[in-house]
Amino acid sequence: MTGQRTRVRRSQALAVTITTIALCGVTGCVTGREFRKTAGPAVRVGVTAIVNGLLDGLFAVIEPDTTTDADS
């Protein structure tokens, strides 16, 4: 990444962090608890699926299937 892109990413991350802290302070994090309670299981399933897909792909690269080519 270039220096300018890195600064933009950092400022975006800072803006998101400040916004999150401000919203949490205003609402008292009650909505955050409700969100985690409702979305938690679905997020867990999604993250598990992504990690399993990455691991399956990694093992497919490490141990490829042996195939025989008829053209060889």
Side-chain angles (χ1 to χ4, degrees):
M1 275 192 195
T2 64
Q4 183 179 4
R5 291 180 95 186
T6 303
R7 282 182 290 225
V8 169
R9 294 278 185 194
R10 285 183 185 162
S11 60
Q12 287 174 345
L14 181 62
V16 168
T17 303
I18 290 172
T19 303
T20 303
I21 291 170
L23 288 175
C24 188
V26 170
T27 63
C29 289
V30 173
T31 55
R33 280 187 232 122
E34 285 297 318
F35 176 80
R36 286 190 301 273
K37 180 179 161 187
T38 304
V43 171
R44 184 178 302 118
V45 168
V47 169
T48 302
I50 290 170
V51 170
N52 285 339
L54 290 172
L55 287 174
D56 289 344
L58 181 65
F59 282 111
V61 169
I62 292 171
E63 300 175 358
D65 292 335
T66 57
T67 58
T68 57
D69 291 334
D71 296 335
S72 299

